[in-house]
């Protein structure tokens, strides 16, 4: 019998052909959470991962069909977004975690899925009627479908677009509207948020230049979700911002009357100062993943420390409630800063369950 203290040990066992191991939980080292809570969390994370993967596959399918000019079949979209809505009504944190620890390899597909999940979490937080949330989720899922009509060199250009290129890029909303309007069974609300996701309160948005009250509450909400995911996502040519930095940019955009300041503040409270699934650096020089929020003390969530900055390596996972310790969060960090592989983290989280 031996203690397994790192992912590396598990990989070594796999390479040696070990198929399974027996775990004596009574001899587990370190600070740990109750086994019943672990298995529930692992189950929820697995379910969230399955929904996220299915959503991406459906995105891929509707994008390729729309590219050929075929009408969108709404049935799989409604089915998978309803699964997301149900999962979020059951536990908003599991899908929020999945959005944060996603592989980030296909931005366009993942972005639409993430925005759909964010608006569902946000609308649930604001206690909207479930039917409205389902329609918002569908609209967000399809909001960027018009990007299939944008030339590759403009769509994936690293760096700033020229004025001419930006004029072309802006037409993606018009294309989204045209495609969604032809979709059988689509609701007015789903179409509305796809149409309004780039409008700004000061009237300088597109494609209609709507201002003030002409932009619905739902249109204001998707604008926040859309920008937040774009800011935090890492792409081939751009590193994502940490959550605290993204929140400060949203607040700045509120001051400039691009976004609704009241909704921005509600969104930040909804997502949490340190969102579930985000990475943080502790005073003890460990990297931890945020596991649960402490509603009474939002700056001191429950975390799982898994990586030593000092030793530059993964280490035995430690479950820490930051309200019960002298340790504290120094800053939010990105996985790339420490060459941490998010797949490894998912593996670790599931293994622990």
């Amino acid at each position: 019998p031996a203690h397994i203290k790192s992912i590396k040990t598990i990989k070594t066992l796999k390479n040696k052909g070990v198929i399974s191991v027996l775990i004596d939980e009574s001899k587990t080292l370190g600070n740990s959470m109750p086994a019943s809570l672990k298995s529930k969390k692992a189950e929820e994370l697995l379910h969230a991962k399955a929904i996220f993967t299915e959503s991406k596959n459906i995105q891929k399918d509707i994008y390729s069909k729309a590219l050929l000019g075929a009408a969108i079949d709404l049935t799989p979209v409604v089915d998978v977004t309803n699964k997301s809505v149900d999962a979020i009504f059951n536990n908003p944190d599991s899908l929020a975690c999945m959005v944060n620890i996603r592989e980030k390899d296909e931005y366009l597909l993942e972005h639409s899925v993430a925005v759909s999940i964010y608006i569902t979490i946000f609308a649930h937080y604001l206690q909207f009627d479930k039917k409205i949330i389902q329609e918002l989720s569908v609209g967000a899922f399809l909001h960027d479908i018009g990007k299939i009509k944008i030339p590759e060199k403009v769509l994936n250009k690293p760096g700033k677009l020229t004025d001419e290129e930006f004029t072309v890029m802006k037409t993606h909303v018009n294309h989204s509207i045209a495609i969604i309007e032809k979709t059988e069974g689509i609701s007015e609300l789903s179409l509305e948020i796809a149409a309004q996701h780039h409008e700004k309160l000061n009237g300088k948005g597109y494609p209609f230049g709507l201002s003030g009250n002409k932009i619905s509450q739902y249109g204001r909400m998707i604008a926040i979700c859309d920008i937040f995911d774009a800011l935090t996502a890492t792409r081939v040519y751009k590193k994502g911002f940490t959550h605290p930095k993204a929140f400060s940019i949203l607040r700045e955009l509120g001051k400039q009357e691009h976004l609704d300041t009241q909704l921005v503040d509600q969104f930040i409270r909804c997502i949490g100062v340190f969102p579930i699934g985000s990475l943080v650096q502790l005073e003890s020089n460990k990297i931890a993943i945020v596991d649960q929020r402490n509603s009474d003390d939002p700056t001191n969530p429950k975390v799982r420390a898994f990586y030593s900055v000092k030793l530059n390596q993964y280490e035995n996972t430690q479950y820490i409630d930051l309200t019960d310790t002298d340790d504290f969060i120094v800053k939010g960090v990105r996985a790339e800063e420490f060459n941490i592989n998010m797949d490894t983290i998912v593996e670790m989280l599931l293994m622990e369950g």
Side-chain angles (χ1 to χ4, degrees):
H3 287 110
I4 294 172
K5 296 184 178 179
S6 70
I7 298 289
K8 196 176 171 185
T9 311
I10 291 163
K11 287 188 172 162
T12 306
L13 290 170
K14 276 184 181 175
N15 292 338
K16 288 184 175 176
V18 175
I19 294 166
S20 64
V21 292
L22 283 172
I23 296 169
D24 184 349
E25 290 195 358
S26 67
K27 293 187 174 68
T28 299
L29 291 173
N31 198 353
S32 166
M33 67 171 79
S36 59
L37 181 59
K38 271 188 185 179
S39 81
K40 184 173 186 292
K41 278 185 156 302
E43 202 178 295
E44 285 174 346
L45 193 63
L46 268 173
H47 183 53
K49 193 171 193 285
I51 292 171
F52 198 86
T53 304
E54 186 185 346
S55 298
K56 262 178 74 172
N57 290 337
I58 289 166
Q59 281 282 349
K60 201 174 281 187
D61 190 49
I62 61 172
Y63 270 67
S64 55
K65 283 177 179 164
L67 201 53
L68 298 170
I72 295 170
D73 177 7
L74 206 58
T75 308
V77 176
V78 170
D79 286 348
V80 81
T81 50
N82 280 352
K83 281 182 193 173
S84 287
V85 172
D86 288 341
I88 285 160
F89 266 71
N90 184 40
N91 175 13
D93 290 342
S94 58
L95 264 167
C97 181
M98 200 59 242
V99 171
N100 287 321
I101 59 180
R102 69 192 195 254
E103 290 164 40
K104 301 180 173 76
D105 59 344
E106 295 171 294
Y107 173 71
L108 184 58
L109 303 179
E110 287 165 0
H111 172 66
S112 295
V113 175
V115 172
S116 180
I117 290 169
Y118 278 132
I119 202 164
T120 303
I121 292 169
F122 193 14
H124 175 255
Y125 173 80
L126 295 176
Q127 299 183 319
F128 287 4
D129 181 76
K130 193 171 187 179
K131 187 175 184 304
I132 286 175
I133 296 176
Q134 287 167 336
E135 290 178 18
L136 292 175
S137 187
V138 168
F141 198 88
L142 299 173
H143 81 282
D144 265 349
I145 188 79
K147 282 187 175 170
I148 57 162
K149 304 280 190 184
I150 306 299
E152 181 76 20
K153 65 177 194 288
V154 173
L155 190 60
N156 293 315
K157 181 184 174 181
K160 197 169 163 58
L161 299 176
T162 65
D163 289 347
E164 291 80 7
E165 287 167 339
F166 188 52
T167 301
V168 172
M169 179 61 106
K170 287 197 290 191
T171 64
H172 81 270
V173 185
N174 306 75
H175 293 307
S176 286
I177 293 166
I179 293 167
I180 293 168
E181 275 179 336
K182 284 190 287 193
T183 303
E184 197 176 324
I186 201 81
S187 75
E188 284 296 320
L189 182 50
S190 298
L191 176 60
E192 178 187 299
I193 63 161
Q196 292 188 7
H197 75 274
H198 278 299
E199 297 292 352
K200 296 174 183 174
L201 288 182
N202 60 12
K204 293 180 180 173
Y206 61 90
F208 305 115
L210 302 177
S211 62
N213 294 335
K214 295 208 171 88
I215 305 169
S216 71
Q217 182 184 11
Y218 310 122
R220 296 167 190 224
M221 285 168 67
I222 193 173
I224 294 167
C225 299
D226 182 54
I227 292 170
F228 181 70
D229 187 66
L231 289 171
T232 52
T234 291
R235 293 175 240 180
V236 179
Y237 55 84
K238 172 195 150 307
K239 287 176 178 169
F241 291 118
T242 61
H243 289 86
K245 174 69 177 167
F247 289 147
S248 71
I249 293 170
L250 289 180
R251 281 204 172 104
E252 189 52 43
L253 291 172
K255 284 180 196 162
Q256 294 169 19
E257 294 191 335
H258 288 204
L259 300 173
D260 183 315
T261 50
Q262 194 182 346
L263 281 172
V264 165
D265 287 343
Q266 287 173 311
F267 179 76
I268 294 169
R269 280 199 292 277
C270 158
I271 299 298
V273 184
F274 297 109
I276 308 295
S278 62
L279 299 185
V280 291
Q281 186 168 342
L282 305 178
E283 170 67 12
S284 58
N285 252 343
K286 295 177 191 294
I287 302 299
I289 186 164
V290 178
D291 189 77
Q292 272 179 287
R293 52 182 95 202
N294 278 318
S295 48
D296 297 336
D297 190 354
T299 57
N300 286 306
K302 295 181 177 81
V303 301
R304 287 196 234 184
F306 64 90
Y307 188 89
S308 166
V309 176
K310 205 172 175 182
L311 302 173
N312 202 24
Q313 66 181 34
Y314 292 94
E315 59 180 21
N316 198 34
T317 307
Q318 190 183 6
Y319 185 68
I320 308 168
D321 182 342
L322 291 173
T323 58
D324 288 344
T325 174
D326 292 336
D327 212 350
F328 58 90
I329 294 171
V330 175
K331 59 181 177 177
V333 294
R334 291 178 294 103
E336 298 83 18
E337 293 173 53
F338 301 93
N339 288 324
I340 291 170
N341 184 315
M342 292 314 271
D343 282 351
T344 306
I345 295 175
V346 176
E347 211 175 292
M348 173 194 77
L349 294 175
L350 291 174
M351 178 189 76
E352 284 194 349

